[in-house]
Amino acid sequence: MSSTLDRSAVQSSLNVWQMAQRQLDDIASIIGLDASIHAYLREPKRALIVSVPVRMDSGAIKVFEGYRVQHNMARGPAKGGIRFHPDVTIDEVKALAMWMTWKCALVNIPFGGAKGGVICDAKNMSMQELENLTRRFTSEISIIIGPEKDIPAPDVYTTPQIMAWIMDTFSMQKGYSIPGVVTGKPIAIGGSLGRDKATARGCLYVVQEAMKELGLSDGARVAIQGFGNAGLNAAELMLEAGYKIVAVSDSRGGVANTDGLDVQKIVAHKAETGSVVGFSGGEQISNKDVLEYDCDVLIPAALEKVITAENAPRIKAKIIAEAANGPTMPEADEILQERGIMVLPDILANAGGVTVSYFEWVQDLQENFWEEQTVNDRLRIIMVRAFRETLERAKKYNVNMRRGAYAVAVGRVAEATSLRGVYP
Ligand code: GLU
């Protein structure tokens, strides 16, 4: 067995938390990170495990397990979404919290990183059950969240309505309205215009920069894995920007058409049937096939660890823009780099969401709300700057874009940590 195979065999067994730590270790040696700061940043600052009793529609009480992890607060209050999914684990939430620290540092907004999660099958719960779960979970984590401490937001299977319940539950405890405790809220209660599409819009902006950098012309073919908030909005915005959407998928399967899919009709089909599967305007393919579909830009917009050493050699895209968090395994990264595929890492490609969350928080604190155009213009400035800084650092160290982004982000967090002197 060759040493390459040995290495991938070992790395494939990494769980997502080990993968996140590996990415930090990797950049630490490249930038020569101080050993004590490295040790400090390798672990979360704080992790809360809560038990959440919920009255279900049947009348029975079911107990769910939930987490809120704060990885780092050196640059400001912790920030990050809450995920409702059956596969949530404490290790996954730790990884996602660490990635939030780097993401906020890369786009240079004054936040640290956090993440929350509840192990539950949100897709098969009623609105009443979801409300009961959200309110009790919020109450349990209310001891560590707040506008100056830690600000949750949406993530996989959590919605603006869920954010509204979080805001209301927290406000009820304090006795007055505190919209700044959570972002991604509905507009009527202090949400920001443009927040719903911000992750996808930020992704579009960095793809446009990458296309320019690689000398690729507009009208590129795009394949998107995942059709939730990030994937669906990316399909719509990229179509509007002149790209051709050739394949999309959700957890049940995918649909593809080399001539381009009718995105509006797929959105309508999904709204009606709950899935893109069965849409008549293209051939049916599997969720995994979408990753290997013939395209110029691939957007993984679902869950972690989908691009592996096994499928990386067959990926046809020239650019991969990670709208999901953690979709690429470290060994796949090496293969993609060798093959000359530019990977726009998650902490860059999906940072539009948290950037507009920052705008929402600022608007809430100032009680002064912006036009959507202002939100989008400011988002573009931040995304383009982050892309340029990433590229510049990647060139300086002669590394890929993930390492370039990590060099900028980890460098910023290390500087703040060292100035404050909060590490041992
Ligand atoms: N869940 C999103 C992310 O992973 C948004 C987080 C936020 O807006 O705080 O970046």
Side-chain angles (χ1 to χ4, degrees):
M1 205 191 268
S2 78
S3 64
T4 319
L5 282 176
D6 279 348
R7 190 186 58 192
S8 43
V10 172
Q11 291 199 343
S12 296
S13 63
L14 293 182
N15 79 17
V16 75
W17 170 236
Q18 292 165 323
M19 177 176 141
Q21 286 186 314
R22 175 76 57 99
Q23 290 165 339
L24 173 64
D25 297 346
D26 182 47
I27 203 64
S29 60
I30 293 171
I31 64 172
L33 184 64
D34 174 89
S36 55
I37 294 187
H38 180 193
Y40 180 60
L41 295 177
R42 259 188 129 250
E43 297 297 333
K45 174 184 176 66
R46 189 178 284 142
L48 181 64
I49 302 180
V50 296
S51 161
V52 189
V54 174
R55 184 171 301 279
M56 306 301 279
D57 293 344
S58 66
I61 304 285
K62 192 166 168 191
V63 181
F64 295 86
E65 184 159 302
Y67 313 101
R68 185 71 186 172
V69 175
Q70 296 168 342
H71 171 259
N72 188 276
M73 299 188 181
R75 303 180 70 260
K79 186 83 191 80
I82 291 173
R83 176 174 294 201
F84 284 179
H85 195 275
D87 299 335
V88 163
T89 64
I90 182 74
D91 271 3
E92 181 190 46
V93 179
K94 279 161 70 175
L96 291 161
M98 184 189 263
W99 288 331
M100 287 309 303
T101 301
W102 313 142
K103 196 184 299 183
C104 294
L106 178 62
V107 288
N108 216 353
I109 55 178
F111 287 140
K115 203 81 175 197
V118 177
I119 307 169
C120 66
D121 187 7
K123 266 204 274 193
N124 293 314
M125 289 169 70
S126 70
M127 284 295 271
Q128 187 60 56
E129 290 170 341
L130 283 173
E131 178 172 352
N132 295 351
L133 172 71
T134 303
R135 289 190 181 279
R136 187 60 188 242
F137 176 64
T138 304
S139 181
E140 293 300 334
I141 65 167
S142 66
I143 51 172
I144 61 167
I145 64 170
E148 323 77 12
K149 294 203 267 187
D150 177 0
I151 305 120
D155 196 74
V156 174
Y157 292 133
T158 49
T159 59
Q161 175 61 72
I162 290 175
M163 302 306 115
W165 292 326
I166 294 175
M167 184 273 219
D168 185 64
T169 307
F170 190 80
S171 299
M172 278 163 68
Q173 277 194 4
K174 306 287 167 184
Y176 57 100
S177 279
I178 309 175
V181 67
V182 66
T183 60
K185 297 179 296 294
I187 306 298
I189 54 165
S192 175
L193 293 169
R195 175 62 185 87
D196 52 348
K197 296 188 179 173
T199 307
R201 192 177 291 281
C203 188
L204 168 66
Y205 291 158
V206 291
V207 167
Q208 286 174 328
E209 289 306 300
M211 298 274 295
K212 272 191 247 164
E213 187 58 34
L214 298 179
L216 299 172
S217 57
D218 279 349
R221 297 159 306 154
V222 182
I224 304 176
Q225 189 205 34
F227 217 60
N229 175 278
L232 183 153
N233 286 307
E236 289 187 340
L237 290 175
M238 297 196 85
L239 184 74
E240 221 176 275
Y243 293 78
K244 196 198 273 186
I245 313 303
V246 291
V248 299
S249 71
D250 57 33
S251 58
R252 296 188 212 164
V255 52
N257 188 335
T258 43
D259 296 329
L261 292 161
D262 186 332
V263 172
Q264 284 321 321
K265 283 195 181 149
I266 298 184
V267 171
H269 180 85
K270 171 126 186 165
E272 209 177 288
T273 66
S275 173
V276 302
V277 172
F279 176 69
S280 56
E283 52 165 328
Q284 305 297 308
I285 60 175
S286 79
N287 188 23
K288 284 184 95 180
D289 289 345
V290 172
L291 300 169
E292 296 170 31
Y293 200 77
D294 194 10
C295 66
D296 304 299
V297 181
L298 171 64
I299 305 187
L303 294 169
E304 301 94 61
K305 298 202 328 186
V306 293
I307 301 178
T308 62
E310 198 264 319
N311 61 12
R314 293 192 301 274
I315 286 178
K316 299 184 185 59
K318 300 177 189 78
I319 296 171
I320 299 179
E322 297 183 337
N325 288 308
T328 308
M329 296 288 289
E331 71 271 22
D333 253 339
E334 304 307 319
I335 296 168
L336 297 170
Q337 186 175 3
E338 277 162 31
R339 295 188 56 219
I341 297 172
M342 185 189 260
V343 178
L344 303 174
D346 45 9
I347 63 168
L348 173 66
N350 71 35
V354 75
T355 300
V356 177
S357 275
Y358 165 60
F359 297 161
E360 180 174 333
W361 178 77
V362 166
Q363 292 171 77
D364 287 339
L365 296 187
Q366 298 185 340
E367 299 182 31
N368 177 0
F369 291 87
W370 310 352
E371 299 298 328
E372 183 163 0
Q373 197 56 48
T374 309
V375 170
N376 294 345
D377 291 347
R378 291 189 180 183
L379 174 62
R380 183 192 284 275
I381 291 168
I382 288 181
M383 296 307 297
V384 171
R385 187 182 61 205
F387 176 89
R388 292 283 139 207
E389 288 173 337
T390 297
L391 185 68
E392 179 263 318
R393 210 60 67 90
K395 285 185 177 160
K396 176 178 165 194
Y397 289 112
N398 193 23
V399 293
N400 62 20
M401 291 290 276
R402 186 178 320 279
R403 291 183 174 124
Y406 267 68
V408 175
V410 175
R412 282 188 182 137
V413 177
E415 187 190 1
T417 306
S418 151
L419 286 166
R420 292 181 57 156
V422 291
Y423 66 96

